[in-house]
């Protein structure tokens, strides 16, 4: 009989128990493994055999594409760091043609219905009027002429003409023969909106415009999404979402928000890429639906403000929804532009121009420009103006009488009148044709050409049959004596007058970053351009700022700045510096650019400036400037432009003993330049007041721009 307490027996039983446990565990593991393997085969069978067709269909409906993403645009600030233009979140509607499939026309019809209900405008640039009767809105909507490599003039189809050829409406020899109505009808038939012979209604016209845009992007431009509408509101978005329209996507983006209602002509506006510039922006790496500057500094500093566009790989399902994405290039925000502009001074200037216009029986458009001594523009105002936040571009464009979109300070050209007389004086003195002490007698009538029937007069003779007597150059500037400057101009000669005008920048581009006109400096070449005769006697008119002298207010302000700083002519500019997107560093600083130097004798310069100062101290001017904390030098001008119409011109600078700023004011149909002295005094009062610096004190823990 075995002893249960025998150690050997105990050891054997323990070994048997361990063996049984091991066998049990092994069986359990094998069973579990078989169960998992069976489950795997069941899932595999379900996926491949039962649901395989559905998954295959879903996979085939997914699409992968590379998409460029617009970057966040940089801000625009004035010289004191006050934000003029920034960004805010907005929503755009984009269309993906591929995701719409065979329901495209129905989807677009529903989308347009919502747009009409909510008053949302959509983008469509079809060259056919938006409402009946159907007419072309472009001279050559189907074709245009272009020289080939051999210099021959050939006809090329536009995108619309190419569509006509693609759809076999007409051949290349007949692309310009269809009327707008015939073309629109053929488009509607091709797009499946109408049957042959049916009349085109407004509904079909709207749909045809959208379908044409889709055609352009899918076949002729860059295969980009079509930004159908910009800046839509939540109500519109909700209605579109409720309809579950395939291929209609709501994208989050940024739009410009304005911190001021002033300086519209300077700041400019943004919009979609113009079709004529599409190729250039594509070469710069912009996405086809990018927002770009269209005017003002938004356009001038486009590449710096825009930053770097990003690129991502996106995957969409059959409904056009994004189901996956991967960034290839992360977009980089643009730099922030700091301008030389003082928005407080700009506001004062625009308000004073508007008040002046309101006080006139028949107010004419006006312009003003103020520059510092190195060409930096402090204010650039044009009246009438508009508010960027609420502008209606089409309405502004159609106002051909007032032309509010025109920046008269840089694009308007005007005869300078007597404000040109300082240049005549400097030219005559510098060329040794007159001296500071020489006196020329004003007899009211200039009899240099005694054999002519009509001899030129001094303004005082025409006004009160008066004379100025014997004036030196200083007195002649104060008196604005025509007789003195007729004589000085004839002695100096038109060639020298033109030479000095070019050195002062008159009739030349100032170099400012935004759009400007070059203007005209009178002379034989200019008269020939206008098919007009030129006689030596015309030099007299040139010397007092008449004839074909046509300059912008900015040129005149820059000319005065050049004069009073001793003859250093600087390029005009609006840029002060660029700062990085987070304002952590200055990425670019504008350095003043000296364009020319005029060697003006110190005594000659003092004689001219003294004449301008004396004018500000006369009874007619002193009432405006006496309250200012600084002394002023000024000159008035009146330029006859029609039988009963004259433009008023006024230039000034301050302080007289240490010039800081130069100013030009022009009022179309403003009669006398002296009428603008009050506006000039108001602008200078703002500039030299303590309020012209930052209007608010920054608190603690605030990041300074």
């Amino acid at each position: 009989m075995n002893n249960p307490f025998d150690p050997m027996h105990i050891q054997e039983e323990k070994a048997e128990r361990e063996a049984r446990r091991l066998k049990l565990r092994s069986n359990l593991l094998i069973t579990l493994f078989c169960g998992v393997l069976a489950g795997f085969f069941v899932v595999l069978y379900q996926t491949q055999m039962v649901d395989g067709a559905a998954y295959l269909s879903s996979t085939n409906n997914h699409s992968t594409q590379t998409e460029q993403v617009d970057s966040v645009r940089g801000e625009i600030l004035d010289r004191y760091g006050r934000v003029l233009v920034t960004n805010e979140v907005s929503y755009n509607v984009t269309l993906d043609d591929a995701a719409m499939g065979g329901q495209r026309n129905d989807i677009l019809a529903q989308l347009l219905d919502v747009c009409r209900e909510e008053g949302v405008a959509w983008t469509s640039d079809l060259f056919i009027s938006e409402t009946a009767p159907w007419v072309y809105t472009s001279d050559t909507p189907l074709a245009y002429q272009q020289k080939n490599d051999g210099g021959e003039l050939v006809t090329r189809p536009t995108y619309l003409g190419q569509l006509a050829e693609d759809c076999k409406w007409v051949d290349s020899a007949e692309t310009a023969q269809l009327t707008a109505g015939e073309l629109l009808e053929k488009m509607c038939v091709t797009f499946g909106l109408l049957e042959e012979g049916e009349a085109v209604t407004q509904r079909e016209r709207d749909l045809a415009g959208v379908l044409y845009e889709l055609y352009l992007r899918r076949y002729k431009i860059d295969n980009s999404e079509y930004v159908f509408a910009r800046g839509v509101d939540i109500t519109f978005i909700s209605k579109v979402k409720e309809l579950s329209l395939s291929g209609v996507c709501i994208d989050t983006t940024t739009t410009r928000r304005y911190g001021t209602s002033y300086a519209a002509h300077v700041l400019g506006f943004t919009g979609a890429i113009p079709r004529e510039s599409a190729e250039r922006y594509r070469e710069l790496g912009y996405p086809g639906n990018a927002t770009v500057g269209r005017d003002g500094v938004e356009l001038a500093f486009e590449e710096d403000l825009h930053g770097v566009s990003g690129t991502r790989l996106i995957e969409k399902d059959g409904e056009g929804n994004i189901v996956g994405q991967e960034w290839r290039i992360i977009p980089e925000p643009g730099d922030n532009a700091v301008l030389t502009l003082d928005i407080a001074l700009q506001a004062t200037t625009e308000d004073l121009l508007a008040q002046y216009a309101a006080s006139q029986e028949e107010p004419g458009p006006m312009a003003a420009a103020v520059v510092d001594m190195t060409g930096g523009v402090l204010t650039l105002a044009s009246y009438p103006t508009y508010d960027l936040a609420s502008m209606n571009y089409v309405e502004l464009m159609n106002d051909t009488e007032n032309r509010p979109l025109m920046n008269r300070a840089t694009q308007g050209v005007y005869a300078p009148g007597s404000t040109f007389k300082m240049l005549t004086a400097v030219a005559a003195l510098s060329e040794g044709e007159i001296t500071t002490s020489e006196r020329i007698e004003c007899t009211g009538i200039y009899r240099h050409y005694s054999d002519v029937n009509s001899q030129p007069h001094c303004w005082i003779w025409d006004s009160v049959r008066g004379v100025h007597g014997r004036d030196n150059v200083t007195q002649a500037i104060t008196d604005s004596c025509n007789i003195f400057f007729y004589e000085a101009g004839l002695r100096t000669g038109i060639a020298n007058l033109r030479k000095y005008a070019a050195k002062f920048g008159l009739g030349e581009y100032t170099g400012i970053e935004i759009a400007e006109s070059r203007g005209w400096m009178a002379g034989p070449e200019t008269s020939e351009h206008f098919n007009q005769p030129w006689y030596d006697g015309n030099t007299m008119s040139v010397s007092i700022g008449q004839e074909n002298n046509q300059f912008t207010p900015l040129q005149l302000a820059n000319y005065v700045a050049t004069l009073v700083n001793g003859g250093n002519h600087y390029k005009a500019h609006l840029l002060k510096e660029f700062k990085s997107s987070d304002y952590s560093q200055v990425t670019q600083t504008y350095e003043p650019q000296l364009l020319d130097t005029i060697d003006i004798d110190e005594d000659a310069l003092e004689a001219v400036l003294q004449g301008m100062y004396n004018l500000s101290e006369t009874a007619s001017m002193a009432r405006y400037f006496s309250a200012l904390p600084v002394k002023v030098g000024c000159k008035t001008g009146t330029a006859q432009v029609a039988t009963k119409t004259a433009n008023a011109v006024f230039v000034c600078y301050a302080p007289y003993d240490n010039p800081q700023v130069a100013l030009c004011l022009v009022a179309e149909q403003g009669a006398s330049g002296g009428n603008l002295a009050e506006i000039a005094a108001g602008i200078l009062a703002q500039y030299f007041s303590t309020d012209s610096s930052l209007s608010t004190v920054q608190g603690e823990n605030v990041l300074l721009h």
Side-chain angles (χ1 to χ4, degrees):
M1 185 174 184
N2 293 333
N3 183 1
F5 299 102
D6 181 27
M8 183 65 71
H9 179 72
I10 293 173
Q11 190 68 25
E12 291 174 352
E13 287 185 345
K14 185 176 180 181
E16 289 177 1
R17 286 196 299 271
E18 287 296 328
R20 286 195 298 270
R21 288 194 198 100
L22 180 59
K23 185 177 182 180
L24 179 62
R25 288 171 183 165
S26 299
N27 291 336
L28 287 174
L29 286 174
I30 292 171
T31 302
L32 181 61
F33 175 75
C34 291
V36 172
L37 189 62
F40 173 76
F41 278 111
V42 170
V43 172
L44 188 62
Y45 179 83
Q46 180 73 23
T47 301
Q48 291 190 340
M49 305 303 293
V50 179
D51 297 328
Y55 281 116
L56 179 62
S57 175
S58 175
T59 302
N60 289 338
N61 285 336
H62 280 213
S63 61
T64 303
Q65 65 186 66
T66 300
E67 180 181 78
Q68 287 181 294
V69 179
D70 216 1
S71 52
V72 176
R73 200 168 180 83
E75 296 182 328
I76 303 175
L77 301 84
D78 85 339
R79 67 189 301 113
Y80 297 114
R82 293 172 285 210
V83 178
L84 308 179
V85 185
T86 185
N87 303 296
E88 63 183 1
V89 175
S90 179
Y91 300 96
N92 290 347
V93 180
T94 60
L95 302 184
D96 186 351
D97 191 10
M100 294 181 184
Q103 302 299 313
R104 182 182 64 181
N105 290 359
D106 289 338
I107 290 170
L108 294 177
Q110 293 181 69
L111 180 61
L112 290 177
D113 286 341
V114 177
C115 288
R116 296 186 191 96
E117 290 173 11
E118 297 300 316
V120 171
W122 60 87
T123 303
S124 174
D125 291 331
L126 180 63
F127 299 121
I128 296 177
S129 58
E130 294 185 1
T131 57
W134 316 118
V135 295
Y136 288 127
T137 56
S138 170
D139 292 337
T140 54
L142 294 177
Y144 66 98
Q145 289 189 321
Q146 183 185 56
K147 288 185 178 180
N148 61 18
D149 294 339
E152 298 175 322
L153 201 61
V154 296
T155 299
R156 307 284 193 196
T158 61
Y159 286 134
L160 184 52
Q162 189 64 55
L163 174 61
E165 291 190 13
D166 290 348
C167 297
K168 310 301 181 186
W169 301 340
V170 288
D171 59 34
S172 58
E174 299 172 336
T175 51
Q177 303 304 313
L178 292 177
T179 67
E182 291 170 341
L183 174 63
L184 187 55
E185 181 183 341
K186 289 181 178 294
M187 289 181 68
C188 291
V189 172
T190 299
F191 288 140
L193 305 178
L194 291 174
E195 296 294 333
E196 192 79 41
E198 290 184 332
V200 179
T201 67
Q202 186 65 51
R203 177 182 179 278
E204 284 79 39
R205 163 60 184 87
D206 293 344
L207 278 169
V210 176
L211 289 166
Y212 172 62
E213 292 288 345
L214 288 171
Y215 164 84
L216 285 181
R217 283 157 180 79
R218 188 168 185 178
Y219 299 107
K220 292 299 175 186
I221 301 181
D222 58 2
N223 212 24
S224 66
E225 288 183 325
Y226 169 20
V227 181
F228 173 79
R230 299 175 184 269
V232 296
D233 59 24
I234 298 300
T235 302
F236 178 86
I237 294 172
S238 299
K239 288 191 174 183
V240 171
K241 289 291 186 183
E242 288 175 3
L243 294 172
S244 300
L245 302 175
S246 298
V248 179
C249 307
I250 307 296
D251 298 326
T252 303
T253 184
T254 57
T255 56
R256 291 310 233 178
R257 180 167 60 84
Y258 300 96
T260 178
S261 59
Y262 298 99
H265 295 98
V266 177
L267 299 176
F269 50 87
T270 59
I273 294 176
R275 189 159 293 164
E276 62 273 14
S277 305
E279 183 62 32
R280 181 171 67 87
Y281 281 113
R282 189 180 304 116
E283 292 174 355
L284 292 172
Y286 280 50
N289 59 0
T291 296
V292 299
R294 299 290 297 266
D295 190 41
V297 298
E298 292 275 24
L299 173 59
F301 306 142
E302 167 57 38
E303 292 183 44
D304 294 285
L305 290 169
H306 182 267
V308 179
S309 300
T311 304
R312 64 178 176 178
L313 189 66
I314 61 172
E315 183 180 359
K316 293 184 177 181
D317 61 18
E319 299 297 318
N321 300 311
I322 296 176
V323 295
Q325 65 175 349
E326 177 186 348
W327 284 103
R328 297 294 176 87
I329 300 176
I330 298 176
E332 298 178 15
D335 286 346
N336 303 305
V338 182
L339 306 182
T340 59
L341 211 66
D342 177 350
I343 197 61
L345 191 64
Q346 179 79 21
T348 296
T349 304
E350 290 190 25
D351 289 344
L352 288 171
L353 290 181
Q355 292 168 17
Y356 175 86
S359 69
Q360 305 300 299
E361 291 184 5
E362 295 183 4
M366 290 165 288
V370 180
V371 299
D372 65 19
M373 292 302 103
T374 58
V377 177
L378 303 172
T379 176
L380 204 61
S382 179
Y383 179 88
T385 185
Y386 54 94
D387 187 347
L388 286 166
S390 58
M391 67 175 292
N392 183 321
Y393 182 76
V394 175
E395 183 178 312
L396 294 171
M397 275 289 293
N398 290 336
D399 187 355
T400 55
E401 180 179 357
N402 296 310
R403 295 184 295 168
L405 286 173
M406 178 183 178
N407 184 356
R408 288 171 167 83
T410 62
Q411 294 175 295
V413 290
Y414 309 94
S418 294
T419 62
F420 189 83
K421 289 175 178 175
M422 290 89 73
L423 186 145
T424 302
V426 169
L429 289 165
S430 298
E431 295 298 318
E433 299 297 341
I434 62 172
T435 66
T436 56
S437 59
E438 181 181 359
R439 295 181 179 275
I440 296 174
E441 184 173 5
C442 171
T443 59
I445 302 175
Y446 188 57
R447 304 184 187 279
H448 179 83
Y449 295 104
S450 57
D451 57 339
V452 298
N453 295 327
S454 178
Q455 294 172 319
H457 297 174
C458 188
W459 67 267
I460 196 171
W461 178 266
D462 292 331
S463 178
V464 294
R465 285 295 187 267
V467 297
H468 289 118
R470 295 177 59 80
D471 274 358
N472 61 24
V473 66
T474 298
Q475 294 167 325
I477 289 174
T478 303
D479 294 339
S480 198
C481 178
N482 288 351
I483 303 299
F484 184 98
F485 289 101
Y486 288 151
E487 180 65 23
L490 279 178
R491 292 185 191 178
T492 305
I494 190 62
N496 280 327
L497 290 176
R498 286 175 61 85
K499 178 180 73 173
Y500 280 87
K503 285 180 171 291
F504 276 107
L506 295 178
E508 304 290 339
Y509 291 114
T510 67
I512 196 166
E513 299 92 339
I514 62 177
E516 65 170 330
S517 299
R518 182 176 182 176
W520 299 92
M521 172 59 197
E525 297 88 345
T526 304
S527 291
E528 182 180 1
H529 175 82
F530 290 112
N531 296 316
Q532 297 172 349
W534 174 266
Y535 306 102
D536 288 342
N538 290 78
T539 303
M540 293 186 297
S541 295
V542 175
S543 65
I544 64 168
Q546 303 290 344
E547 198 60 40
N548 283 324
N549 285 332
Q550 295 282 306
F551 311 130
T552 68
L554 178 58
Q555 286 176 352
L556 290 170
N558 207 2
Y559 143 64
V560 174
T562 301
L563 172 68
V564 302
N565 73 22
N568 295 316
H569 176 214
Y570 287 93
K571 181 178 180 179
H573 63 98
L574 283 163
L575 178 65
K576 181 182 177 185
E577 61 190 11
F578 277 108
K579 292 186 176 181
S580 59
S581 59
D582 60 357
Y583 291 97
S584 62
Q585 59 182 327
V586 175
T587 58
Q588 183 184 151
T589 301
Y590 184 91
E591 296 295 337
Q593 298 183 37
L594 185 64
L595 298 178
D596 213 333
T597 301
I598 306 163
D599 186 14
I600 308 176
D601 179 78
E602 186 174 340
D603 291 339
L605 179 61
E606 178 56 33
V608 172
L609 299 187
Q610 184 68 46
M612 297 179 72
Y613 170 71
N614 291 346
L615 177 60
S616 73
E617 294 292 300
T618 59
S620 60
M621 293 289 113
R623 60 194 178 110
Y624 301 118
F625 299 118
S626 59
L628 293 177
V630 295
K631 297 297 184 180
V632 178
C634 66
K635 187 72 188 79
T636 62
T638 304
Q640 197 75 22
V641 294
T643 306
K644 297 181 179 180
T645 303
N647 291 338
V649 186
F650 186 87
V651 298
C652 64
Y653 68 95
Y656 164 69
D657 53 356
N658 182 28
Q660 296 179 27
V661 291
L663 164 64
C664 172
L665 288 161
V666 175
E668 298 174 19
Q669 304 174 30
S672 170
N675 295 345
L676 303 177
E678 186 174 7
I679 301 177
I683 296 171
L684 293 177
Q686 169 67 28
Y687 177 80
F688 289 105
S689 72
T690 55
D691 293 334
S692 64
S693 60
L694 266 176
S695 57
T696 58
V697 178
Q698 300 288 351
E700 294 182 1
N701 301 319
V702 175
L703 178 63
L704 297 179
H705 288 158

